[in-house]
Amino acid sequence: MNTKERIDFLRSEIENHNYSYYILDTPLISDFEFDNLMSELISLEENHPEFFSDHSPTKKVGGGLIDNFESVRHIYPMLSLSNTYSFEDLKDFDDRIKKIIDIPFEYVCELKFDGVSISLTYEDGKLLRAVTRGDGEQGDDVTLNIKTIRSIPLNLMGDYPDRFEIRGEVFLSIEDFKEMNISRLSKGLEEYANPRNTASGSLKLLDSNEVYKRPLDCFLYYILGENLPSNKHFTNINNAKKWGFKISDKIMLKSDIFGVMEYINFWEEERHNLPFEIDGIVVKVNDIDIQDELGYTSKFPRWAISYKFKAEQVSTKLNSITYQVGRTGAITPVANLDPVSLAGTTVKRASLHNADQIKRLDIREGDIVYVEKGGEIIPKVVGVDIKKRTLFSIETDFIDNCPECNTELVRTDGDAKHYCLNSNDCFPQIVGRFEHFISRKAMNIDGLGSETIELLVKEGLITDFSDLYLLSREHLLPLDRIAERSADNLISGIRESKKIPFERVLFSLGIRFVGETVARKLADYYKDIEHIINASLEELIQIDEIGDKIAESVVNYFSNNENREIVYKLRQYGLKFISEKSEMLLSDKLNDKRIVVSGVFINYSRNEIKKLIISHGGKNVSSISKNTNFVIAGDNMGPSKKQKANDLGVTILSEDEFIKIIS
Ligand code: IVH
């Protein structure tokens, strides 16, 4: 055997042993023998740099220092799941699906691992890249660190797709976490708070040799790609096991929501016997075509949900209730607490949500309250220990006036929150609007932070967004804390923001209920702010995935003269209020045609069909009316929709006919 052959042999032997040890849990050789193979390979590779490989198992021991993690945009956004805490919610989830899908379907039940999510890209069987979730749209490239995780394969086995992404959760087992802490204590270091935060912190270390020393592990649970072996999630994920991934053997297929409930009941108890922490159960529709048919809300898939186990609770004293004003004028009551340790962090403040919540739980200053950390980052008060209440306690009276500007608060029917409507003169609202405007997903203005905004507002230099674009060095330099360099940075950051595309400018305006997704939908549909300003309620509601609440809010916003003025000024200063996507149009064959998409398709997913419509100049609308130009009907278009299309004389196109038109 020559050197190259010996190196190849060792690499493949070591990979097989890694697989047997970390994935199958059945070691075939002793640790000593394994270490010998590894040492031999390391020394051969050192002496023969000509046989270097980025995917050698020796890369698992760490690849050195990194300056900074590169930010990478996800091809498929990394969404999270909507959370439920009751079987009632779970039943609602099932009912919602059945309203759309009238054929039988199955659920896949999985453990919800409590760790850090990661997305791995494989090309030709090799790990290409590992990216953290980040903000869901883009994350950090942590490939070097991920390569050190023993259970993540660098090279795949068997019959894998050419290119795919696989997502999972990096975690620390309870036992390994304990051992890490024992070792830290023995070195006089402070203990780590919990396995989850420690796993997350480990991935962000800049020295991958250090990451190698942490016993990180990883379960994979979601595959994305064009050429997956099956259109069933359960089959794909079990195939991934054969390619070398660590897939939980607790995943189960259930034929209905009652089966799902049995699974949950079982794990509610059994989870305490697992060697790692889980915080719930994830339920997914098995059939990927049905997943596509159900699609996504702006934040979550409609085809999956997480059932969360009851969160950890502690009790502490509520010293006072104060009130916060958000950028929309919404008032949030906040509990100021005696500091208490909860799920690894010290909690001093917790949300009280709204007046109804305070009333329902009869929460009073001086009470001993129960605090819980749910899915949200901010902990909440969930109850009162009435037995510990003192005789002198006084029922809480929700404030009548804004704590910041003293304007009388308003609460409209159907709204849980009180609002301060003095949006133009109430300080935290003004600052909050600017904070939203400059934030990364909005205008992304570098060099401008909350403190500077507060300063600029206080000094009267900015009152509405357009004022930002008139700021000059002369305005900024006399101000405290603004040196020449920061002034220049700020001004260039503001200038740069004029390049931000229309859809994000629209999002930046902070119109209620117009988040990133809705802003994109509106920009795609109307292409010019002028058309949005003039849109009627009825017209807006027609747009795919735009409901009454959003439509009303948009109409309200633009019916206000001042808002229109601000938009016109911004436009005059060079911000983009026209969609430039038209340059990216494939054709104008569907120019301004209003199209409804219904049913399941063979060659394309529903979302792909919708994208095709837009890229050929058409518009997606949600329901059939006399203004609809045509309906593209897939396999199981609902009978009532069909009837309506026929009644109104709207043409129904098959998938093939549609493709013929645009090709
Ligand atoms: S599937 C679009 N499956 O929970 C669906 N997620 O709240 C993508 N998680 O971001 C997620 N175990 O970090 C899925 N078996 C599992 C999971 C799981 C844990 C995490 C994941 C995700 C979060 C959602």
Side-chain angles (χ1 to χ4, degrees), residues 79-81 110-113 117 169 221-222 282 284 301:
L79 300 177
S80 61
L81 298 170
E110 301 176 12
L111 304 182
K112 185 169 190 303
F113 308 105
S117 49
E169 205 82 352
Y221 47 64
Y222 183 31
V282 178
K284 302 173 182 170

Side-chain angles (χ1 to χ4, degrees), residues 192-216:
Y192 290 125
N194 59 45
R196 202 187 99 92
N197 291 0
T198 314
S200 158
S202 302
L203 285 192
K204 297 283 164 65
L205 291 174
L206 294 172
D207 181 356
S208 57
N209 301 302
E210 202 47 47
V211 186
Y212 173 70
K213 294 184 194 148
R214 310 248 170 128
L216 296 169

Side-chain angles (χ1 to χ4, degrees), residues 315-317 319 336-341 345-349:
S315 65
T316 187
K317 185 166 170 212
N319 293 316
N336 300 292
L337 308 164
D338 266 354
V340 59
S341 164
T345 50
T346 305
V347 175
K348 297 189 199 105
R349 287 152 64 80

